[in-house]
Amino acid sequence: MSDLPALPVTFRPGHTRAILLTAGVAIFLVLSGIAMLLDHLGPGSRLSFVITGALILWATAQLARIRVVADESGVTVVNIASKRRLAWAEILRVNLRPGDPWVFLDLSDGTSLPALGIQPGIARQRAIADAGTLRALAEARATARAAEDQG
């Protein structure tokens, strides 16, 4: 258990996040620039360009906020449109099978929760390592919990 990271630890797709935020800012700046440079546009049309750029920036920021945070009491999974807090006891298994777009957490209630914060898209080796770390953390907590129950 000594090779486990100190908690709390956050897992997120760093490259994907950087690309999304950079693209969102670039799109916002380009649309705002176009709105200001086109002389024949009225104030409403200019505003619609800026608002469209702001909405695209907001959407890319929502996509970039995905993460998985592990701490002493459990795991918080932040996906695109949801956030869920799990106790360690709720996590039965951490899965990242070949071809999976992201990690799936098998839960004690019989469901599976996608954890988009660990995804092998751009940085495959990092995602595999992160999934292994989260799996080791969950297993260490399960082992400690079983020892407490027996003692």
Side-chain angles (χ1 to χ4, degrees), residues 41-117:
L41 292 179
S45 295
R46 289 180 199 272
L47 183 61
S48 69
F49 270 85
V50 174
I51 289 173
T52 300
L55 287 172
I56 291 170
L57 176 57
W58 176 82
T60 57
Q62 291 301 303
L63 292 171
R65 75 184 195 102
I66 60 175
R67 64 187 176 278
V68 176
V69 181
D71 59 33
E72 290 296 334
S73 61
V75 174
T76 303
V77 178
V78 180
N79 288 332
I80 296 168
S82 66
K83 179 178 180 178
R84 185 162 175 195
R85 178 74 184 157
L86 302 166
W88 285 110
E90 293 179 80
I91 302 171
L92 300 179
R93 192 172 10 267
V94 177
N95 292 312
L96 180 60
R97 296 172 294 262
D100 280 351
W102 40 71
V103 162
F104 289 91
L105 304 177
D106 291 341
L107 305 179
S108 59
D109 66 1
T111 63
S112 183
L113 176 68
L116 280 62

